Each structure stands twice: as C-alpha cells, then as structure tokens.
C-alpha cells in the first residue's frame, strides 16, 4: 500500500506543473469569463450586478454583432480553402527536383516568420491609394487608383489576400513533411499501372495527406477567428465595420468602450463557435483520415 501511495504521489507531483498551468491559463479564465458575462458593467455610482442572460440578449439585438459575424464567416470561407489549396500546390512544387529548390522553399516560408505588425505595414504600402505599389502598377497599364482599404466592397477581400499570403507558406511546411513521408514505391507502382499524375494525387497522395489536412484545417479555422493585429494597423474594423471581425470586435468592446462584461458574452459565443466547428471537423473528416 505504501508503494502504491508513493507512486500515486509521485505521479501527481509530475503532473502538477502542467496541471497548474492548464488550470491557471485555460480553465480558470474560461470559468471567469462565463461568470463575467452574467453581470452588468460597473460605473462610478453603481456597482456591477447580476443580470443573467441580459448581455446575451443585448448581443442578439446588436446589428453590429451580426455584421461582424457575417464578415467573419465570409473571411473564413475566403481564406481557409484558398490557403490550404495554395499550400498543397506549393508543397507539390518544392517537393520536386527543381533548380534552387531550397531558395524557393525559403521564399514561400518567409512571410510566415515575419511579425504580424510588419506584414500589416508592408501591405499598407501595397494598398495605399495612388502611391501604393498596386496602384502604381495599375497606373502603368492605364488604370486609375483605388482606395482598397477605404471601399467597403474591397476592404475584406484585400485583408483576405494578405492573410492567405502569410498563412499558405506555414501550411506548406506540414504538407511538404507529409509528402516526404509517403513511400516512393506508391508513385512508382502507379506509374507502372499507367496512372496519371492527377489520378495518383487524387486517389493515393491526397488520402494519405488527410491527417495533415485535418491538422491544417483546424489551425486555419482558429486563425480565421483570431485576427486582430492586422485590423488594428490597417482598418480598425472600418469603413462602417466592413472589415470588422469577431475577435477585433471583442477587443474593441473590452478595451476601447470598457464593456468588459459584454465582451465576455461575445467571447463565450466565439468559444462555442470554435468548439462546434472543431467537433464537426473531427466527426466529418475523421472517417476520411487514414492513419498509418
């Protein structure tokens, strides 16, 4: 009994550092956010009081919330498939024997290691009306300048392009590592059978890449809902909330308007959305994942 008890104590002591960090930075903040979302904003003359679901009711009646949610949905639909498809294409290209392959890989991966603020400033130079790089090139072909970040119809696509440019190289690394782990005998056998490259990719390679695709898809979904830095530099959610996304709206509500309890309710909605999407991805894609 003493041996068993000492083993249990030793095991719990080994788990304690990780458990403390998990509770302090994950479980406790989640519980605190749930509690805060049920209280009202405190003022100088009135303390915070329990209001139940009033913050959630206010959120449902808020037109900006629905606009931000729609923006985030379009942003996710525009960036996730494009980033994954581009990452696969880049990985296929640099996985072949081409001249300067190491330099090409480095060029593809470079946007990933750049700080987010630096990336935002680079693309701010690209999108600046009349004097920006895009308008300078367009002017050479006789096109007039355009306020890419000031037009509600182009601001969100412009941010999508910047996001894809930064994320595709990061996802490419995972696909490249997965492709290099595929036995070359499979491709040789498919060539002997007369299969085309497209057929080999569709029937052999891509099914073997499904574990990587599941991992990349989850990361892409998380990234599409946590964009703050770029918006802070480029648009601050404007014009007229055309580029405002959910996490930036939470940041703005909490730290600009000091509506921390309403921001807590918005945060709970974000956590629920991410949790539901993660579960759907696992249940839907897990049947197509081939683990080796």
């Amino acid at each position: 009994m003493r041996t068993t008890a000492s083993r249990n104590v030793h095991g719990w002591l080994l788990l304690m550092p990780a458990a403390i960090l998990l509770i302090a930075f994950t479980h406790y903040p989640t519980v605190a956010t749930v509690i805060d979302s049920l209280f009202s904003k405190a003022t100088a003359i009135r303390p915070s009081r329990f209001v139940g679901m009033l913050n959630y009711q206010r959120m449902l009646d808020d037109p900006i919330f629905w606009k931000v949610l729609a923006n985030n949905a379009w942003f996710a639909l525009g960036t996730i498939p494009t980033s994954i498809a581009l990452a696969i294409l880049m990985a296929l290209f640099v996985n072949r024997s081409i001249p300067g392959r190491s330099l090409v890989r480095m060029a593809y991966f470079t946007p990933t290691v750049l700080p987010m603020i630096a990336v935002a400033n680079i693309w701010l130079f690209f999108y600046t009306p009349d004097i920006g790089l895009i308008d300078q090139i367009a002017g050479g072909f006789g096109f007039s300048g355009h306020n890419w970040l000031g037009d509600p119809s182009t601001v969100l696509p412009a941010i999508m392009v910047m996001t894809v440019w930064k994320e595709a190289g990061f996802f490419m690394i995972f696909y490249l590592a997965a492709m290099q782990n595929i036995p070359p005998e499979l491709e040789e056998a498919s060539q002997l059978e007369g299969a085309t490259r497209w057929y080999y990719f569709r029937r052999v390679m891509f099914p073997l890449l499904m574990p990587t695709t599941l991992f990349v898809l989850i990361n892409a979904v998380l990234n599409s809902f946590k964009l703050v830095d770029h918006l802070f530099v480029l648009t601050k959610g404007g014009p007229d909330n055309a580029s405002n996304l959910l996490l930036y709206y939470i940041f703005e509500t909490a730290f600009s308007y000091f509506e921390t309890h309403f921001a807590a309710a918005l945060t709970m909605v974000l956590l629920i959305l991410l949790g539901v999407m993660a579960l759907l991805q696992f249940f839907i894609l897990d049947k197509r994942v081939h683990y080796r």
Side-chain angles (χ1 to χ4, degrees):
M1 292 181 63
R2 288 183 178 179
T3 303
T4 303
S6 63
R7 287 178 179 177
N8 291 335
V9 171
H10 182 67
W12 282 109
L13 288 175
L14 291 174
L15 288 174
M16 188 175 295
I20 291 174
L21 291 175
L22 187 65
I23 293 172
F25 295 102
T26 302
H27 299 318
Y28 172 74
T30 302
V31 174
T33 302
V34 173
I35 295 173
D36 285 344
S37 68
L38 303 177
F39 284 80
S40 64
K41 177 183 177 181
T43 63
I45 60 175
R46 186 180 62 186
S48 178
R49 59 188 178 87
F50 180 79
V51 293
M53 304 298 290
L54 189 61
N55 285 322
Y56 295 93
Q57 182 62 44
R58 174 187 169 187
M59 179 177 57
L60 295 177
D61 297 334
D62 183 11
I64 299 178
F65 166 74
W66 292 108
K67 186 172 185 177
V68 167
L69 199 62
N71 289 343
N72 225 141
W74 284 114
F75 182 80
L77 290 174
T79 57
I80 294 172
T82 308
S83 299
I84 293 176
L86 188 58
I88 293 174
L89 290 175
M90 291 191 300
L92 287 171
F93 181 69
V94 299
N95 194 38
R96 301 167 57 188
S97 296
I98 58 174
R101 182 171 60 178
S102 299
L103 292 177
V104 176
R105 290 178 179 177
M106 183 183 66
Y108 285 162
F109 188 69
T110 297
T112 301
V113 300
L114 294 176
M116 292 184 178
I117 300 300
V119 170
N121 281 282
I122 290 172
W123 282 88
L124 183 62
F125 165 70
F126 289 167
Y127 289 136
T128 302
D130 297 326
I131 62 173
L133 182 62
I134 295 177
D135 282 358
Q136 289 288 333
I137 296 175
F141 292 95
F143 296 100
S144 59
H146 183 74
N147 190 358
W148 298 96
L149 299 178
D151 187 348
S153 62
T154 60
V155 61
L156 196 59
I159 295 176
M160 290 180 188
V161 171
M162 176 195 64
T163 304
V164 171
W165 176 80
K166 180 169 175 57
E167 290 186 350
F170 177 68
F171 298 149
M172 178 208 68
I173 295 299
F174 297 103
Y175 278 113
L176 181 61
M179 289 177 186
Q180 292 178 345
N181 284 326
I182 296 177
E185 294 82 4
L186 296 177
E187 186 175 6
E188 295 173 0
S190 66
Q191 291 175 352
L192 291 175
E193 294 293 333
T196 61
R197 288 184 177 180
W198 167 246
Y199 187 87
Y200 168 73
F201 172 78
R202 184 167 58 92
R203 291 293 189 179
V204 180
M205 179 179 286
F206 190 69
L208 293 176
L209 293 177
M210 284 305 295
T212 304
T213 301
L214 178 61
F215 172 79
V216 167
L217 181 59
I218 293 174
N219 279 273
V221 170
L222 293 175
N223 291 342
S224 67
F225 280 87
K226 67 177 187 180
L227 191 67
V228 171
D229 311 67
H230 298 160
L231 295 180
F232 186 82
V233 174
L234 293 174
T235 65
K236 291 186 170 56
D240 194 23
N241 291 299
S243 63
N244 203 350
L245 302 180
L246 187 54
L247 188 57
Y248 184 80
Y249 185 47
I250 295 172
F251 166 80
E252 192 177 40
T253 302
F255 299 104
S256 295
Y257 307 131
F258 301 103
E259 294 274 356
T260 54
H261 299 284
F262 184 55
L266 293 170
T267 303
M268 292 308 304
V269 172
L270 176 60
L271 292 176
I272 292 172
L273 284 174
L274 292 176
V276 170
M277 285 187 287
L279 290 175
L280 289 176
Q281 290 168 29
F282 274 109
F283 283 119
I284 293 174
L285 292 181
D286 192 59
K287 297 179 181 179
R288 299 179 178 271
V289 173
H290 301 272
Y291 295 103
R292 291 181 294 157

